[in-house]
Amino acid sequence: MKNGRIQKGVSRGKPFEIEVDGEKILAYEGETIAASLLAAGKRTCRQTKLTKEPRGIYCGMGVCMGCAMIVNGRPNTLVCQTMATPNCKVQTQIGIGNWETPK
Ligand code: FES
């Protein structure tokens, strides 16, 4: 499991796992899903509907919609604004608004 976090001089909450497209990744209490994804080296949150181009975390403040994902079955969830919780399920989304899940 990749861990791209700063290791020295940082205190974190309790560690736990979240599931991203069927893969377990490490998260910590007080961390957004976006932070967990970046630390795990995952850059793609959704794909554009027509050309399937990747989109990911860009603004980090809930404005650009690049980080929209399906979280616990709820589409269009902005993971930069959503806290990671133990055992939450996160899925890549295709499109936005009227979404699809990858096949
Ligand atoms: S990164 Fe822009 S809305 Fe989440």
Side-chain angles (χ1 to χ4, degrees), residues 21 47 70 75 91-95 99-103:
D21 293 330
Q47 297 174 345
I70 302 166
Q91 292 174 271
T92 300
Q93 178 174 314
I94 297 175
W99 75 98
E100 298 169 14
T101 51
K103 294 176 176 63

Side-chain angles (χ1 to χ4, degrees), residues 8 32 36-37 52 54 56 59 62 64 85-86 90 96-97 100 103:
K8 290 185 177 175
T32 62
S36 305
L37 290 169
K52 309 291 190 253
C59 71
C64 73
T85 56
V90 182
I96 195 150
E100 298 169 14
K103 294 176 176 63

Side-chain angles (χ1 to χ4, degrees), residues 5 8 12 14 16-18 20 30 36 42 46 48 51-52 59 63 67 75 81 85 90 94 97-98 100:
R5 294 172 179 84
K8 290 185 177 175
R12 295 187 170 87
K14 288 183 182 174
F16 54 86
E17 289 182 333
I18 65 173
V20 181
S36 305
K42 298 193 175 296
R46 66 179 180 92
T48 59
T51 60
K52 309 291 190 253
C59 71
V63 176
C67 69
Q81 302 295 300
T85 56
V90 182
I94 297 175
N98 296 326
E100 298 169 14

Side-chain angles (χ1 to χ4, degrees), residues 34 45 56-68 77-81:
C45 296
I57 298 149
Y58 182 68
C59 71
M61 59 185 194
V63 176
C64 73
M65 302 294 285
C67 69
T77 302
L78 301 179
V79 296
C80 72
Q81 302 295 300

